[in-house]
Amino acid sequence: MSGIDIKNVSKAFGTTQVLDDVSLQIAPNEFIAFLGPSGCGKTTLLRMIAGLETVDAGEIHIGDRRVDDLPPGQRGVALVFQNYALYPHMSVADNMAFGLKNIGVAKDEIRRRVEDAARILELDGLLARKPGELSGGQKQRVAIGRAIVKNPDLFLFDEPLSNLDAALRMRTRLELAQLRRRLKATMILVTHDQVEAMTLADRIVVMKDRKVQQVGSPMEIYARPANVFVAGFVGSPSMNILKATIQDEGGFAVAIVAGTKIATRVPMAGLPASDHWRLGLRPECVKVSNDGHPATVEFVERLGERTLVYAKLSDGTPVTAEDAGNSRVAMGDAIHLRIDGARAHLFSGTGDGYHADEAA
Ligand SMILES: Nc1ncnc2c1ncn2[C@@H]1O[C@H](COP(=O)(O)OP(=O)(O)OP(=O)(O)O)[C@@H](O)[C@H]1O
Ligand SMILES: [Mg+2]
């Protein structure tokens, strides 16, 4: 089992800088998700770890070996892509065995490894089938099987679930979580799906603009976003980010938004001087109520168990609020919003995040 140490890695394609001085440490047996918008460099970083892309500057270590000059075959990694690229004329068993035959692994050993992988992935009954006779989820499992038989120290998954429909995606996500428990290995999953990252990863690496924006456990990232980008990117629907001025009341910041005061539990003592504060409020902290901040309903989304209410405050500031599943709120209604400022965040002019005092 190997950890990974990425030290000050940079990468450009021509004149386009894709990664700029990225450092990251991954513990042995850790499940890490790279999360970020399209084009932020997730695949590039994964391919650099796999050895499919060169490193312009910096070092990559896997276990106790520096690998950035080693060919992919010597790095002990297995990569699973978004499109499973199975050989259509070969059986499931042969698809899984193919890579091993190529490197001269003995026949008996190949059979043993393929049968083990098939058992782990519950593909036992399907080994003689051709890919054309499998469902999308089964094909994806064969692609994962092809990685498992290599006995890698490190599994790299590049959006392995994104070709699957919603139901299958959820099932395969659970399978991946179970697989992770059965296999002792370090895993990196590239995704732009925050639910995948939140549910599978021990830690999430949020990337944007050539940089790592934040590394943390799913709940750390959700509860204490390092900056306004992470705050808006993680969580669905997105966090409300509202222009605010702040003042000190009893050591905590009170935010003034649209002329009304919202008492936060963010300590004043930790805040820098800044002219452009923004208040961050998750929609679940803004509830439709009998009293509170007046607002007008612009749009309503009924999700069954809850209702999302897109409203405007008195000064026109848009805000996403929540109501019960059986909400009677309709477009155009004048409503009131009760805001739970205790869980509010503040973001300074530079975008840095400040959060409620955990002791508060
Ligand atoms: N071989 C290449 N040559 C030139 N530019 C490239 C190459 N590969 C990637 N890029 C550029 O590098 C940037 C990062 O690409 P990358 O594929 O790593 O993004 P990503 O985060 O995986 O995005 P997605 O979520 O869309 O898969 C993009 O701007 C892309 O256009
Ligand atoms: Mg990608």
Side-chain angles (χ1 to χ4, degrees):
M1 233 180 312
S2 300
I4 307 169
D5 195 359
I6 296 169
K7 295 183 186 173
N8 309 102
V9 159
S10 295
K11 176 76 183 172
F13 290 111
T15 54
T16 313
Q17 193 73 31
V18 178
L19 295 167
D20 183 13
D21 198 23
V22 167
S23 292
L24 180 66
Q25 287 180 323
I26 298 173
N29 205 22
E30 201 173 16
F31 195 137
I32 291 286
F34 290 172
L35 177 68
S38 185
C40 72
K42 305 179 295 293
T43 295
T44 303
L45 185 56
L46 200 73
R47 288 170 57 84
M48 284 161 77
I49 296 169
L52 301 175
E53 211 68 79
T54 56
V55 174
D56 290 349
E59 298 179 7
I60 299 177
H61 298 248
I62 299 178
D64 48 16
R65 290 189 307 160
R66 179 170 175 183
V67 299
D68 46 84
D69 281 330
L70 294 181
Q74 289 177 28
R75 297 191 185 196
V77 307
L79 190 57
V80 179
F81 294 103
Q82 167 178 1
N83 52 1
Y84 355 95
L86 302 177
Y87 299 107
H89 57 283
M90 286 187 197
S91 68
V92 166
D94 287 341
N95 261 287
M96 288 204 265
F98 186 72
L100 300 182
K101 280 183 189 151
N102 272 352
I103 56 169
V105 178
K107 256 196 178 148
D108 284 354
E109 174 67 11
I110 293 180
R111 202 181 49 229
R112 193 185 60 75
R113 287 200 209 173
V114 168
E115 283 171 1
D116 280 354
R119 200 170 325 109
I120 290 171
L121 295 163
E122 293 173 20
L123 289 169
D124 315 57
L126 305 176
L127 285 172
R129 290 211 199 159
K130 301 271 166 64
E133 300 162 331
L134 300 176
S135 74
Q138 289 165 339
K139 282 183 209 164
Q140 188 60 66
R141 275 185 270 160
V142 176
I144 295 171
R146 214 165 34 182
I148 290 178
V149 295
K150 291 188 189 164
N151 281 336
D153 280 342
L154 177 57
F155 284 89
L156 306 176
F157 297 102
D158 194 353
E159 312 247 14
L161 309 184
S162 58
N163 277 343
L164 309 179
D165 69 41
L168 194 53
R169 207 177 160 120
M170 200 180 284
R171 273 213 312 281
T172 314
R173 195 170 79 212
L174 284 173
E175 283 171 5
L176 208 55
Q178 288 164 352
L179 176 71
R180 190 276 163 103
R181 227 159 284 137
R182 275 172 262 164
L183 292 174
K184 287 265 177 276
T186 311
M187 298 191 179
I188 303 177
L189 171 76
V190 163
T191 180
H192 52 246
D193 180 334
Q194 46 156 319
V195 177
E196 247 166 66
M198 291 287 288
T199 52
L200 286 168
D202 298 318
R203 285 191 304 154
I204 298 175
V205 177
V206 185
M207 298 170 61
K208 185 189 175 252
D209 291 343
R210 306 173 296 282
K211 294 272 187 194
V212 171
Q213 301 287 324
Q214 186 171 7
V215 183
S217 72
M219 282 319 287
E220 268 163 27
I221 301 252
Y222 189 80
R224 305 180 77 77
N227 58 43
V228 71
F229 167 74
V230 175
F233 192 73
V234 177
S236 177
S238 280
M239 187 187 282
N240 292 296
I241 309 283
L242 311 173
K243 270 191 194 146
T245 53
I246 61 169
Q247 61 189 47
D248 187 345
E249 276 184 27
F252 292 101
V254 167
I256 296 138
V257 175
T260 54
K261 280 184 171 187
I262 298 161
T264 76
R265 298 300 291 171
V266 182
M268 277 308 284
L271 300 183
S274 174
D275 288 337
H276 301 286
W277 286 101
R278 282 154 293 174
L279 180 74
L281 284 169
R282 297 236 179 247
E284 65 258 30
C285 302
V286 185
K287 301 268 192 205
V288 177
S289 168
N290 293 327
D291 49 22
H293 304 271
T296 314
V297 177
E298 295 266 293
F299 190 68
V300 177
E301 262 180 4
R302 297 182 194 285
L303 300 180
E305 86 290 3
R306 63 188 170 136
T307 302
L308 299 178
V309 179
Y310 299 90
K312 278 197 167 154
L313 298 178
S314 51
D315 71 339
T317 304
V319 56
T320 310
E322 272 193 19
D323 200 10
N326 60 0
S327 169
R328 290 165 179 267
V329 167
M331 242 160 89
D333 281 2
I335 55 167
H336 289 91
L337 299 174
R338 181 167 293 174
I339 294 175
D340 178 7
R343 289 190 284 161
H345 311 264
L346 285 174
F347 301 97
S348 69
T350 57
D352 290 333
Y354 299 88
H355 312 288
D357 191 348
E358 271 171 342

